[in-house]
Amino acid sequence: MVYKVAVVGVQGDVEEHVLSVRRAFEELGIEGKAVATRKSGVVSESDAVVIPGGESTTISKLIFREGIADEIIQLAKDGKPVMGTCAGLILLSMHGDEQVERTKTKLLGLMDIWVKRNAFGRQRESFQVNVDIKGIGPFDAVFIRAPAITKVGEYVDVLATYKDYIIAAKQENILGLSFHPELTDDTRVHEYFIKMGIDL
Amino acid sequence: MPVDLEKLRFGTELIKRGFAKMQKGGVIMDVTNAEQAVIAEEAGAVAVMALHKVPADIRQSGGVARMADPLKIQEIMEAVTIPVMAKCRIGHVAEAKALESLGVDMIDESEVLTPADVFFHIDKRKFIVPFVCGARSLGEACRRIFEGAAMIRTKGEAGTGNVVEAVKHIRLINRAIQELKELDEPSIMEIAERYASAYTRLLSSIREEQGIKRLSKEDVVFEDYTLLEITDGIFKILMEIKEMQRLPVVNFAAGGVATPADAAFMMQLGMDGVFVGSGIFKSSNPPEYAKAIVEAVQHYDDPSVITEVSKGLGEAMKGLDVFKLEESERMQTRGL
């Protein structure tokens, strides 16, 4: 069986994730498949799913309207790996901030974390910095109008912090990142994610 | 010198182009006040463009169209959580700096406003905030990317509600990209030289008046770039385009998109997303129009969805026959 990763493709930097997953498969020497999907029925047949960066308000509306949200929740319950970056992180969280409330954004509620949207400011304040990720090492992280994790529940493992914020965390099979590993050529985060679902 | 990774970096090309990538598959809507911005956000827009007047009204009222009132833009920024973009005049560095200082998320150096410089566009590399620029052809797109644009959009013909010019610009750019496939490096260098020659207009006209014909490749022609540097820069961009078979930055459709079917058509032609200007708030039912266009972009390849969302939508904006516009009324010819 070929290991299949679905990238939720309704909006955002979908293609970048598809390419990163493919490169990560190559690096790991695994035969795998990465597909973008805008329709229901694909996520439920996959071994892992990625929720990309984009606008959380937009992505949320579209995945709940299309029934993709329920499929992601089911996949997570089955213990399959789920990764969210930036907007994806917001959607994974259980506890939104005032912006999430105000825009009535529906969350998937898969991680016991508190998120703050646009925690570092607007686009002008977007930045790149080297961070240290537990289990991965130093990583050039790109933050774009990024959210951050302000608090985690007891079963959440903090993987990286920057200043006062948590920027990467893992709760069993769920991985959430504030930044965009898919925008750089470094595939180590995607390799880590794939390895969460495969015993090599 | 190795890059100091510990150091915080702002406004890198990766961050600027990355921002544009987050808009892919989305609809960016023109809004003129906070209420409209909220309607756009609720409909699922990925960003809004804050304007004083939508293009259709700019067309109607005539006169010089300038950057919107910063207070208006600020109200819009406070009303929504999605990114807010705003327009500055072509070449108007001071307007762009003001918008950057206000904190807008992206600046549209736009032909919809009255151009401030007949020779040059802004050197967008010198900004932290990313820019989007219009293009009618691959040459215009390459020049804007060289100047640092993080996103390209077709010019189309704004404020007409007529998609014909946007389609024309998409076809011109897409086909020109295809053509590159068969060309070798020397031929692509010739194209780069031709595209770069647009930067020599200022110096050429001065030299011509002075009776000096020759213009050297070493001449500084735009900001601090020599003609040679510009040519090399455009050559590299063209080689990247040849390889990728697309623009190296996000490419949206704009200028005349009025209906859900228009928006879906733009996506079918390979665009990364759609700007809708006058189309939404000049229609008879803006909230429904906004939602329908977002859904049409998402399901652009599913005709049944386009049909469904188009049912009973009410009237689209009135629109104009582009072919009856006087040359002086065309916005797309502004800024080469």
Side-chain angles (χ1 to χ4, degrees):
Chain A
M1 263 277 288
V2 176
Y3 191 79
K4 185 172 156 191
V5 177
V7 179
V8 174
V10 292
Q11 193 272 314
D13 69 337
V14 178
E15 198 190 345
E16 286 70 18
H17 267 295
V18 170
L19 296 174
S20 289
V21 171
R22 283 185 189 151
R23 285 204 311 268
F25 277 133
E26 269 174 44
E27 290 289 331
L28 293 168
I30 297 171
E31 203 188 326
K33 216 171 131 186
V35 288
T37 178
R38 286 182 285 126
K39 293 195 163 62
S40 57
V42 177
V43 171
S44 55
E45 285 174 3
S46 300
D47 300 297
V49 63
V50 177
I51 310 168
E55 279 310 312
S56 58
T57 50
T58 311
I59 299 176
S60 166
K61 281 190 183 75
L62 302 175
I63 61 172
F64 279 96
R65 198 188 286 161
E66 299 306 315
I68 297 172
D70 291 336
E71 292 183 39
I72 299 170
I73 293 167
Q74 191 53 51
L75 205 76
K77 279 189 183 146
D78 294 343
K80 307 261 178 71
V82 180
M83 173 164 74
T85 65
C86 195
L89 168 74
I90 298 166
L91 298 180
L92 288 177
S93 70
M94 217 172 264
H95 319 279
D97 66 348
E98 158 287 313
Q99 286 197 7
V100 171
E101 303 261 312
R102 177 150 64 110
T103 51
K104 301 180 202 90
T105 305
K106 274 205 226 172
L107 305 175
L108 296 165
L110 296 172
M111 278 184 102
D112 190 11
I113 55 172
W114 281 254
V115 290
K116 186 177 177 199
R117 279 190 65 193
N118 303 322
F120 303 95
R122 308 190 69 95
Q123 177 60 20
R124 196 178 51 188
E125 286 80 42
S126 293
F127 60 99
Q128 244 178 294
V129 75
N130 203 31
V131 297
D132 196 32
I133 311 173
K134 199 163 112 187
I136 293 173
F139 199 89
D140 187 18
V142 184
F143 294 80
I144 295 176
R145 286 173 49 96
I149 303 169
T150 51
K151 201 169 113 186
V152 297
E154 69 176 307
Y155 301 107
V156 179
D157 193 6
V158 172
L159 300 184
T161 58
Y162 177 70
K163 292 195 168 162
D164 296 332
Y165 292 117
I166 296 161
I167 52 158
K170 183 170 167 285
Q171 181 179 333
E172 290 171 34
N173 53 322
I174 319 289
L175 178 65
L177 309 164
S178 292
F179 54 92
H180 295 279
E182 74 280 9
L183 289 182
T184 56
D185 294 330
D186 193 337
T187 56
R188 287 176 298 152
V189 168
H190 288 82
E191 290 171 39
Y192 178 93
F193 171 64
I194 291 166
K195 285 193 276 188
M196 281 166 57
I198 304 179
D199 285 322
L200 287 175
Chain B
M1 207 178 80
V3 179
D4 182 5
L5 285 176
E6 297 303 321
K7 236 181 96 188
L8 260 181
R9 284 155 290 155
F10 295 98
T12 61
E13 190 177 86
L14 196 61
I15 295 170
K16 293 199 265 193
R17 289 187 180 185
F19 169 79
K21 285 178 176 172
M22 299 310 146
Q23 309 293 308
K24 287 200 289 184
V27 182
I28 300 169
M29 303 181 189
D30 277 3
V31 298
T32 56
N33 57 44
E35 298 84 75
Q36 290 186 352
V38 171
I39 291 172
E41 181 173 54
E42 281 176 358
V46 286
V48 292
M49 179 74 68
L51 285 161
H52 173 55
K53 281 180 192 163
V54 294
D57 290 333
I58 291 176
R59 225 172 242 297
Q60 195 111 77
S61 62
V64 175
R66 311 178 180 92
M67 170 183 86
D69 182 341
L71 187 64
K72 264 272 181 277
I73 301 171
Q74 205 168 8
E75 281 168 16
I76 291 166
M77 287 165 65
E78 281 160 12
V80 292
T81 64
I82 53 177
V84 175
M85 306 180 178
K87 289 182 195 289
C88 74
R89 284 178 264 177
I90 288 174
H92 206 310
V93 181
E95 281 189 352
K97 281 286 172 199
L99 292 173
E100 182 172 62
S101 121
L102 187 63
V104 302
D105 297 290
M106 182 173 244
I107 299 171
D108 184 359
E109 187 182 16
S110 177
E111 71 284 358
V112 168
L113 305 183
T114 311
D117 190 332
V118 294
F119 293 112
F120 300 120
H121 281 67
I122 294 168
D123 181 5
K124 293 164 275 285
R125 302 186 195 195
K126 298 205 169 86
F127 284 73
I128 284 175
V129 167
F131 277 74
V132 55
C133 285
R136 287 182 302 170
S137 63
L138 187 58
E140 288 186 15
C142 285
R143 285 191 289 272
R144 300 300 87 80
I145 294 167
F146 172 79
E147 293 154 6
M151 182 176 183
I152 294 292
R153 55 169 178 75
T154 57
K155 285 179 173 171
E157 192 55 51
T160 60
N162 191 336
V163 86
V164 65
E165 292 297 296
V167 173
K168 178 174 157 189
H169 301 158
I170 293 168
R171 292 219 182 280
L172 282 166
I173 292 173
N174 285 356
R175 185 57 202 256
I177 291 173
Q178 251 183 47
E179 291 289 300
L180 291 180
K181 229 194 290 191
E182 311 303 328
L183 300 177
D184 56 8
E185 289 195 15
S187 319
I188 290 179
M189 184 50 94
E190 270 176 49
I191 298 173
E193 280 166 5
R194 204 168 162 82
Y195 286 176
S197 67
Y199 291 96
T200 61
R201 280 177 293 141
L202 172 65
L203 198 56
S204 303
S205 73
I206 292 168
R207 295 263 166 98
E208 201 177 315
E209 193 191 22
Q210 294 171 335
I212 307 165
K213 279 274 153 62
R214 288 189 65 88
L215 201 93
S216 138
K217 283 187 169 183
E218 310 302 328
D219 280 321
V220 172
V221 291
F222 165 63
E223 295 285 323
D224 33 19
Y225 311 106
T226 63
L227 183 55
L228 185 67
E229 283 168 332
I230 296 173
T231 309
D232 279 352
I234 291 178
F235 174 74
K236 284 198 189 92
I237 294 164
L238 280 167
M239 291 303 288
E240 205 180 348
I241 295 171
K242 171 188 156 101
E243 174 67 28
M244 295 169 79
Q245 280 298 297
R246 58 155 295 147
L247 295 182
V249 298
V250 167
N251 185 16
F252 267 46
V257 177
T259 68
D262 284 351
F265 185 27
M266 300 294 100
M267 298 302 284
Q268 287 164 7
L269 290 171
M271 293 292 102
D272 293 319
V274 179
F275 280 92
V276 185
S278 319
I280 290 167
F281 291 98
K282 284 280 155 190
S283 73
S284 62
N285 190 349
E288 288 308 311
Y289 246 90
K291 272 185 212 140
I293 289 177
V294 170
E295 267 202 74
V297 165
Q298 199 209 340
H299 295 287
Y300 67 88
D301 51 356
D302 186 344
S304 68
V305 175
I306 314 303
T307 313
E308 206 49 47
V309 300
S310 304
K311 279 182 187 164
L313 254 191
E315 275 202 51
M317 67 178 286
K318 189 159 175 284
L320 287 173
D321 184 348
V322 181
F323 302 109
K324 290 194 182 129
L325 288 179
E326 296 284 334
E327 193 54 34
S328 63
E329 294 173 310
R330 290 159 81 89
M331 292 172 171
Q332 59 174 283
T333 50
R334 299 164 168 180
L336 306 171

